[in-house]
Structure formats: C-alpha cells, structure tokens
C-alpha cells in the first residue's frame, strides 16, 4: 500500500470527458495540461469516461506505476460516483479517503455555456482539489450493524406489498396504518384499469395475508409519534389510538353494531365517501383488516357523555371486547430500516368552484362514483343521482380537475385519464347513459392502456378535447331544462359547446397529504417543491432517500397507478432486504474528534451537538466526542474557540487549502 | 491579480451543505439550467460546519462575494445545524458591515434539494449585484496597505536617523 507521505505527496489528476457531457463545454485537455503544473501533481490525464472499467484501471495502474498516494478525479457529482472512484483507489492499493472528487459536470458543463469561463472554472475547482487532497489522511471505513426488523408506514397497496415481500423473506415487519383498516384507496375501487379485474378480488387476499402473517405486526388506527436514531438502528414510537375495543377479544361478529342505540346509521361513512351513513360503532367495510370494529369517540354517546344504555356491551356479552376506559398507547420498537408508503390525498374539488362541486348535488367526484358503481357500495352498484333513484341518461366526465393547471397543481396526476375511461365504461355498462369525456390530452402510456382507450371509443363513449370552462344550471334552451350544462371549447371542432347532462363526474387529481411536510420532517427526508417525498436519484435510486435506511414507495413519491406502485413497493422491500442481508452498512468516516492537549474544557461545543455525542471528561477537564454518536456535521468543529476539534475529511487545513487554491490565479 | 479592467469578472465563493443546497446545485445541472459561471462551490456536510473565518479568508484571498447555502429552517439533515449557521452569520454580517463591506457581497440562502431553480436565481442575482459593486480586491488592498506601511516605516526610520543623539 502506498502510504501517503507528509513531506511530498504524489498526486494523480484525472479529467473526465463524460462523452461530450463535459468535453462539449469544458476543454478537458487544457484542464489536464494546466493541472499537470499544479504542485505535487505527478500524473495528469484526460479520459473519455473515468467511471468506465478502463478509466478506473487507469487510476489503478498509475497508482502502482507512478507510486501515487493521492488521487483527484474531475468528473460528475460526488453524490453519484465518489464511491466508484474511492473503490478504484482501494483496488489500486491506496486508502480510499486519499481521494478528492471535483464536480465539473453538474456544477460546470451542464450549467454554463461553452467557452473559456467554463474551462477556467474547471481549472479552479481542480486546483482546489489538488491543494486539498494533499492534506487528506488515510482513514478507516466504519460500519454499523443493521437491525433486521423493518417498519412500514402506510397500509395501502404499496405498504401491503412491501410488508408481504419482506415478511415472506423472513423479516419481521411492523406495519403502521393511520386508518382503522389497511387497504388504502385501492380498497374503495370497484374495478382496476385496463383489465377491469375487480379491485377487491385482487386486494383482499393480500390484506388477509398481512393480517394472518406471523412475521407482520399490524398496527392500524396508529401513527408514528417519534423517530430517533439512524440507519440500522432506528427507535420508533408509535401511538396506538384507542378504538375502545380490545383487539384480541373482538371477533368481528358485528353484533354490537346491530345492538347500538342508534337504530339507523346517522354519521357520514368515510369509506363510502359520505354517500351512506354509519353508526358510532362500526366496521369500516366487510373485508376490513383487521376484522375488528371500532367506536368513534366523536359520535358515541357513551364516550361523549357516559350516559348511554351501552347495548353494545350487552350484545358483546361474555367476550367483553368493548372497553370504554381504553387510552392511547405508546409502543416503542427498534428497527433497522423504514419504508414510507403514505400515499396521496385526492384533490379537493371544491377548490374549483366553477365546476360546481358542493353547489350542484349531481356533481360528483370520481371517488364517489367508484363507490356508486361498486356492488358493495351504498347503492349496491346502482348508479343513481343524489335523489337515490333516478338513473342518469347522460354523464359528463371532466378530466384534469386539479391537475395540469397553473392555478392548482401543475403536474399530471397520471391515473385520471385511465380511471375516467374505466368509470365511463362502468357507467355505460350500469346505466346505458351517453357518456362524454372532456380531456386535454388522453394520457394512456401503459401496458394495454392505449388499447383500452380504443375499446372505449368503439363502445361509443364520446371524447371531447377541451378543458371545461364551467358547469352550470343556467339553462338556455328547452333541451337543457333540468340539466347541468357543461361549457367547453371543443378544440378539435373549433367552437364553444354547451352539453347538457344529468350527472357530472370530476376526475380529481392526486396531491400530497396535507401533513406530508410534518411526516418528512419526522423521518428527516426531503420533499420536492410540490410536497412529494424526494427520491435520492430520479432514475437510479427511485426508492432511496437522502437518509440512509429510509425508503419510499407508491404515491407518496409522486402520482402513480397500481402496477407502478406495486413495482416500487417491491423495489423498496428489496433495498431494505439488501441492507438487512449485508448485516451492516459502511458509514462515512467524517466524524469529529477532540485533540485533548488543545482543549481548554470551555464546553462551548457541548450544546452544539444535536446528537449529544459530546461530553466533558471531568477528570481530564476536556471535551470528549463519542464517535459512535457523531454524524459528522462539523458544527462543533466550527464552534471550538481553540481549534481543538478536528474533523476527518473536513478538517480546517483541508477546507482552508481549498478556499485558498480556488481563488489563486 | 485582477484589476478594475474591462474584463474583470466577479468571483463568488460558495459554501453549500451536502444535503440540500449542493444537491440543489446538482439538480440545476441535471435540469440544464444555465447560470453565471462566476461561482465556485465548496462542499461542506452541513452549513453548521462553516467557520466564520472561512468567509473572512475567502474575502482576504480575493473573493468578491461569498454565498452560504443551507437547508431551510427545520429541514437540516443534522436537525439544527442551520440554526447555528444563522446565528453565526447574523453576527458575521454585522462585523463585515462594520468593516465597510457592502451587504450584497455576503449572502445566506436556504435552498432545499428540490430547488434547482433557486440556485440559478440566487447565483445570477448575486453575480449581477457584485458586478455592479465592482471588485473588492482585498489582496490588492492589502498590498497597497503593506506598501504604505513600508513607506511610513521607511519615513519614520529615516526621520529617526535625523534626530540628534542628545534628544535620547
């Protein structure tokens, strides 16, 4: 191994062309030639692709041939290839931390015009790295063990899929769901596009598998209250809200529901989007998992006043599953990895008042129609108007409600075109009504999707291209009487049309949960500006986040349909599994340490550390940093008035030499 | 050394935290947003690592402006490093102001990993503002002051020689 010498470092510099990505803007040859003149540089080369095998081999060969003890590679972002080049150094027999990477692609060639300024910048940045790397010291890679248990937050199809994959691989999974049952939005759907297979038929077997799996601890009606720790070693506190039912004792017989003092349902049934009524004690839906009732504290007379005949308790009898004294319970668990599958919320159609939702009774959201066409829904599958009996003769489906709209959300929600066509098919099938789709573009890019669009056209569903301006009850002709009128510019025909219909369906888009910012802060991950959870890399690390050990799956990362969600959930499970099977993960050795002889024991650093890694040795009267707790932010290093705290990879002499050289001309 | 010639270009040294602003600058790159090439980024793991002396040093070594980029308050990868940055920067700003430095030359921005466009906007804005101010050229000023000191010293030494011995 070439041990770096203190006196005369031998540095190798490599300038990557990245095809034309860098070389198209930066004169790589000139940068390499200039770099050859920098102090201590023994070899300086430019090469087409440094990250390729021959590129890496070049470094390894030079280390041996020229006895190099420091390497600088000017190429892309260190977040992308630092690991690759450290590996190349190691293979060449050099300590991987005697390496410095320069970002002349993302920070230079991709953001600047071709010319001298871009090349100068590449030279400056490379000179700074050459100067910095001379101060690098060989370091040891640290590893931390990975706890084998996994927590999954969110019990929609993404969470269910990830949980089953991991549990089947033998890992213990804690599945936490906010609602009283798992299943998410998929459980509300009737059919799924484009195959029209019944959503319940494909989902409920998975739900029961989760409920019955010996490796899955299912906590519904629960929320994550606190997350501490780091990859491999997270401590999560879960709040289990009281459902006033002892889960182990309830068998889901529903006798308490029948016996409730409310003879009829009186309160909005969330599962049916408020289209039916439920009692204070209820089962969310027949296939709910776990199949356990719950008591809604907001509406139960006994919870609110304590003055009720408690006919439910009577009906439960010897089982004694009802417990009105139940309190919220905090559960603390250790896990090594966490998968967030918290999904989306539908766009609130009331935000676009000109579409009349909440104003005209016969304007519906797409989720309401999902329940109406569903045989287990409030109308047993009969599509009827709000009066509960009239079959609509004509239905207009408005696409892109809260999508592709600068006033609400700019993004395409990806599923609305397809589910609108699915609903068009189902409505036509159930009522034989004339169905009009009002669309901007039909987006059907999936397996069998375009074919489904063609099928709909053949079925006689009408497609009118144009964003709907307004839904109104202002009638201008006899044929519009008693109807809702959709005003739209038909951009194919080239004129404004008024189309009278009995029922309007608003195809609402997908948006991040209202509390997505709180959730991502809790888990220390990032969000895109829209509020979707941010993946580590949009193409190559789509389920990873910037926080090691935390993965994302499904619509919490961005709108996606069921096949994509399931695929992503599998990917997240595989990523978690790969950490678990490796047993440990390498950590950056960029921790801080105290040079005891220089420490005055002033304690300035102690409150700087968010991880309480610093304490004071009262005998020696100096600060001590617990390396295992240090995450390497360097805040204490900057605060130390005597310069007694050093940080690996980001020490003062490394950073100051970088500053000096970046400005040298 | 650069002078106030026509081809003078501002030089901005930036300290970006690894998790938010550095990543945002990567995103700006991936999205091919074009911005002024006058900025040189130094990566720190956290903006909390920024020793105020680094800023002083950058100015002393010839930077015309210094930009600090960190995660938005509440979003720090290390929980609260950026709050420490904010405190230090507030003090440092006051000090730099007292030293006569224009406030446009030193800037702290919270830029999250998804705000590539903000990197572009902030860099372009700052380059233009600093360009309008002209070169700071601390190294040049130091050289001038050193020269003045030397002259003064020479002058003092010279006059001392002229002072008659009996005065001592």
């Amino acid at each position: 191994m070439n041990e770096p010498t203190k006196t005369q470092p031998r540095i190798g510099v490599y300038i990557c062309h990245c095809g034309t990505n860098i070389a198209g803007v930066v004169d790589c040859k000139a940068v390499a030639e200039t770099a050859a003149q920098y102090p201590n540089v023994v070899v300086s080369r430019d090469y087409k692709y440094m990250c390729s095998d021959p590129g890496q081999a070049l470094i390894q060969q030079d280390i041996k041939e020229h006895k190099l003890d420091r390497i600088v590679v000017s190429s892309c972002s260190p977040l992308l290839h630092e690991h690759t080049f450290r590996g190349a150094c190691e293979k060449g027999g050099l300590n991987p931390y005697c390496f410095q990477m320069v970002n002349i692609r993302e920070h230079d060639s991709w953001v600047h015009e071709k010319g001298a300024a871009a090349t100068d910048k590449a030279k400056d940045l490379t000179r700074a790295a050459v100067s910095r790397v001379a101060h690098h010291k060989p370091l040891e890679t640290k590893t931390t063990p990975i706890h084998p248990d996994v927590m999954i937050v969110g019990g929609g199809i993404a969470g269910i899929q990830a949980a089953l994959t991991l549990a089947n691989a033998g890992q213990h999974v804690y599945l936490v769901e906010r609602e009283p049952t798992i299943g998410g939005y998929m459980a509300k759907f009737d059919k799924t596009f484009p195959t029209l297979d019944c959503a319940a038929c494909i989902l409920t077997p998975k739900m029961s598998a989760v409920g019955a799996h010996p490796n899955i601890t299912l906590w519904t009606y629960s929320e994550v209250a606190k997350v501490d720790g780091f990859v491999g070693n997270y401590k999560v506190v879960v709040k289990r809200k009281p459902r006033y039912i002892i889960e182990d004792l309830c068998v889901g017989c529903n006798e308490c529901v029948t016996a409730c003092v409310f003879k009829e349902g009186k309160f909005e049934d969330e599962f049916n989007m408020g289209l039916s009524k439920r009692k204070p004690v209820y089962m969310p839906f027949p296939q709910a998992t776990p199949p356990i009732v719950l008591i809604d504290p907001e509406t139960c007379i006994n919870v609110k006043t304590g003055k009720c005949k408690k006919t439910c308790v009577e009906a439960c009898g010897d089982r004694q599953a009802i417990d009105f004294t139940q309190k919220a319970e905090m559960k603390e668990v250790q896990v090594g990895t966490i998968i967030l599958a918290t999904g989306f919320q539908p766009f609130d159609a009331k935000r676009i008042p000109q579409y009349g939702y909440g104003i005209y009774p016969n304007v519906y959201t797409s989720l309401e129609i999902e329940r109406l066409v569903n045989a287990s829904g409030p109308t047993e599958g009969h599509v009827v108007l709000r009066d509960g009996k009239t079959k609509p003769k004509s239905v207009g489906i408005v696409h892109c409600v809260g999508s592709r709209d600068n006033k609400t959300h700019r993004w395409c929600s990806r599923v609305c075109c397809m589910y609108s066509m699915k609903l068009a098919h189902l409505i036509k099938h159930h009522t034989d009504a004339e169905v009009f789709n009002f669309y901007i573009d039909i987006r059907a890019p999936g397996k069998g999707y375009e074919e489904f669009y063609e099928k709909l056209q053949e079925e006689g569903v009408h497609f009118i291209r144009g964003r709907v301006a307004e839904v109104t009850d202002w009638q201008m002709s006899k044929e519009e009487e008693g109807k809702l009128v959709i005003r739209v510019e038909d951009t194919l025909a080239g004129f404004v049309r008024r189309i009278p219909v009995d029922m309007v369906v608003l195809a609402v888009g997908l948006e991040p949960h209202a509390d997505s910012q709180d959730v991502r802060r809790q888990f220390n991950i990032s969000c895109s500006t829209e509020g979707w959870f941010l993946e580590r890399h949009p193409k190559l690390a789509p389920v990873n986040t910037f926080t090691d050990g935390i993965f994302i799956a499904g619509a919490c990362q961005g709108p996606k349909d069921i096949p994509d969600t399931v695929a992503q959930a599998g990917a997240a499970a595989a990523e978690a599994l790969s950490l678990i099977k490796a047993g440990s993960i390498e950590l950056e050795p960029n921790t801080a340490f105290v040079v005891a002889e220089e420490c005055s024991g002033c304690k300035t650093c102690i409150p700087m550390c968010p991880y309480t890694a610093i304490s004071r040795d009262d005998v020696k009267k100096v600060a001590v940093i617990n390396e295992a707790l240090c995450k390497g932010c360097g805040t204490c290093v900057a605060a130390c008035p005597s310069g007694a705290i050093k940080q690996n990879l980001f020490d003062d002499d490394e950073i100051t030499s970088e500053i000096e050289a970046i400005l040298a001309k | 050394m650069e002078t106030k010639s026509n081809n003078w270009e501002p030089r901005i040294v930036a300290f970006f935290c690894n998790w938010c602003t550095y990543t945002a600058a990567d995103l700006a790159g991936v999205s091919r947003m074009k911005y002024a090439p006058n900025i040189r980024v130094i990566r720190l793991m956290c903006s909390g690592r920024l020793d105020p002396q680094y800023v002083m040093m950058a100015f002393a070594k010839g930077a015309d402006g210094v930009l600090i980029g960190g995660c938005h308050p509440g979003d720090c990868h290390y929980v609260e490093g950026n709050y420490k940055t904010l405190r230090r920067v507030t003090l440092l700003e006051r000090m730099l102001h007292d030293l006569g430095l224009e406030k446009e030359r030193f800037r702290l921005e919270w830029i999250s990993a998804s705000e590539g466009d903000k990197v572009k906007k902030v860099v372009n804005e700052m380059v233009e503002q600093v360009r309008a101010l002209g070169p700071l050229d601390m190294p040049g000023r130091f050289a001038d002051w050193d020269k003045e000191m030397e002259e003064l010293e020479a002058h003092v030494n010279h006059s001392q020689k002229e002072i008659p011995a009996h005065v001592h």
Side-chain angles (χ1 to χ4, degrees), chain A residues 77 112 124 521 652 663, chain B residues 11 26 35 40 49 54 75:
Chain A
S77 171
H112 305 316
D124 286 354
R521 287 212 172 104
D652 273 340
L663 287 159
Chain B
R11 287 196 291 172
D26 276 4
Y35 58 80
R40 308 282 183 267
R49 176 66 184 90
Y54 297 164
D75 291 359

Side-chain angles (χ1 to χ4, degrees), chain A residues 138-277:
Chain A
L139 297 169
E140 249 176 71
T141 305
K142 294 186 184 68
T143 58
T144 185
I146 304 286
H147 193 287
D149 293 356
V150 186
M151 170 156 292
I152 298 176
V153 185
I157 181 60
I160 290 172
Q161 180 72 20
L164 287 174
T165 307
L166 285 161
N168 288 340
Q171 300 318 127
H172 191 85
V173 175
Y174 297 93
L175 179 57
V176 179
E177 165 59 51
R178 174 144 68 177
E179 301 297 325
T181 171
I182 57 169
Y185 281 105
M186 188 176 171
K188 296 181 199 270
F189 301 159
D190 179 35
K191 302 280 194 290
T192 54
F193 61 77
T195 45
L196 295 176
D197 38 357
C198 136
C201 313
I202 56 178
L203 178 65
T204 51
K206 279 185 183 285
M207 287 166 62
S208 349
V210 167
H213 209 296
N215 287 340
I216 300 178
T217 303
L218 176 58
W219 285 334
T220 55
Y221 212 44
S222 304
E223 283 178 47
V224 172
K226 196 161 177 258
V227 185
D228 273 326
F230 51 92
V231 56
N233 190 20
Y234 287 107
K235 195 170 77 188
V236 188
V237 179
V238 177
K239 181 186 178 185
R240 305 216 59 203
K241 293 177 276 187
R243 61 200 289 160
Y244 303 104
I245 302 291
I246 300 165
E247 284 191 16
D248 296 339
L249 300 180
C250 176
V251 292
C253 65
N254 278 329
E255 275 176 36
C256 52
V257 181
T258 318
C260 178
V261 292
F262 285 97
K263 291 288 163 250
E264 297 292 328
K266 202 182 160 198
F267 310 100
E268 242 177 44
D269 183 345
E270 297 88 350
F271 186 74
N272 280 332
M273 310 308 295
L275 293 174
S276 64
K277 303 284 184 202

Side-chain angles (χ1 to χ4, degrees), chain B residues 17-33:
Chain B
C17 84
N18 181 65
W19 303 99
C20 290
T21 316
Y22 193 90
T23 311
D26 276 4
L27 176 66
V30 174
S31 321
R32 308 296 199 280
M33 294 171 179

Side-chain angles (χ1 to χ4, degrees), chain A residues 281-299:
Chain A
V281 54
Y282 66 106
M283 178 78 81
F285 63 101
Q287 297 94 336
T289 305
I292 296 168
V293 295
L294 76 152
I295 292 171
D296 172 15
E298 298 296 315
T299 52

Side-chain angles (χ1 to χ4, degrees), chain A residues 506-526:
Chain A
L506 302 180
V508 289
L510 278 53
E511 65 182 18
H513 274 295
D515 62 351
S516 69
Q517 295 287 349
D518 301 335
V519 173
R520 67 143 185 118
R521 287 212 172 104
Q522 199 168 39
F523 292 94
N524 195 15
I525 62 166
S526 300

Side-chain angles (χ1 to χ4, degrees), chain A residues 77-79 82 103 107 111-112 121 124 520-521 524 527 529 546 610-611 633-635 647 650 652 663 665, chain B residues 11 18-19 22-23 25-26 29 33-37 39-40 43 48-49 54 58 74-75 77-78 88 114:
Chain A
S77 171
L79 304 182
E82 186 169 58
N103 188 344
H107 286 200
V111 287
H112 305 316
K121 181 169 178 176
D124 286 354
R520 67 143 185 118
R521 287 212 172 104
N524 195 15
C527 264
T529 38
F546 286 101
Y611 307 102
C633 66
T635 307
Q647 186 185 7
F650 288 91
D652 273 340
L663 287 159
K665 278 279 175 194
Chain B
R11 287 196 291 172
N18 181 65
W19 303 99
Y22 193 90
T23 311
D26 276 4
M33 294 171 179
K34 297 285 179 221
Y35 58 80
I39 181 173
R40 308 282 183 267
R43 182 168 69 117
R49 176 66 184 90
Y54 297 164
D75 291 359
H77 187 82
Y78 302 102
R88 287 173 193 157
S114 61

Side-chain angles (χ1 to χ4, degrees), chain A residues 425-576:
Chain A
H425 167 86
L426 293 173
I427 291 169
K428 205 163 175 62
H429 184 72
H430 284 242
T431 63
D432 209 25
E434 288 286 316
V435 182
F436 300 88
N437 274 278
F438 300 91
Y439 68 100
I440 306 176
D441 299 290
I442 290 292
R443 298 201 161 166
K447 197 174 176 183
Y449 291 11
E450 184 67 20
E451 294 88 325
F452 188 71
Y453 177 32
E454 275 176 34
K455 173 185 146 91
L456 266 278
Q457 286 169 308
E458 281 161 21
E459 281 178 10
V461 171
H462 306 289
F463 287 88
I464 295 170
R465 199 183 79 177
R467 183 188 276 283
V468 168
E470 184 184 30
V471 174
T472 175
D473 62 352
W474 184 44
Q475 291 137 12
M476 287 178 72
S477 65
K478 202 161 176 68
E479 60 164 4
E480 289 177 359
E481 255 169 46
K483 305 229 177 203
L484 290 167
V485 180
I486 293 172
R487 284 187 49 216
V488 61
E489 181 191 354
D490 184 333
T491 57
L492 287 178
F495 57 86
V496 176
R497 296 174 71 166
R498 293 174 61 87
I499 296 179
V501 292
D502 295 322
M503 177 188 252
V504 173
V505 182
L506 302 180
V508 289
L510 278 53
E511 65 182 18
H513 274 295
D515 62 351
S516 69
Q517 295 287 349
D518 301 335
V519 173
R520 67 143 185 118
R521 287 212 172 104
Q522 199 168 39
F523 292 94
N524 195 15
I525 62 166
S526 300
C527 264
S528 64
T529 38
E530 299 86 12
W532 304 109
F533 294 159
L534 195 67
E535 62 280 1
R536 194 176 191 116
H537 191 279
K539 282 113 194 168
L540 302 176
V543 297
N544 304 68
T545 66
F546 286 101
T547 302
D548 283 333
I550 299 199
F551 306 98
I552 49 178
C556 61
Q557 181 259 349
K560 55 182 62 67
D561 58 15
I562 295 167
D564 285 5
T565 297
V566 170
Q568 215 183 29
E575 289 286 352

Side-chain angles (χ1 to χ4, degrees), chain B residues 120-153:
Chain B
K120 173 187 166 172
K121 184 177 154 272
V122 166
V123 170
N124 282 343
E125 244 175 49
M126 190 163 175
V127 168
E128 280 324 301
Q129 285 169 351
V130 172
R131 191 190 300 283
L133 290 174
L136 179 64
D137 192 23
M138 287 311 294
R141 293 194 208 186
F142 289 144
D144 288 348
W145 293 335
D146 283 350
K147 211 170 136 212
E148 274 173 37
M149 283 303 287
E150 271 166 35
E151 280 168 10
L152 201 64
E153 227 167 279

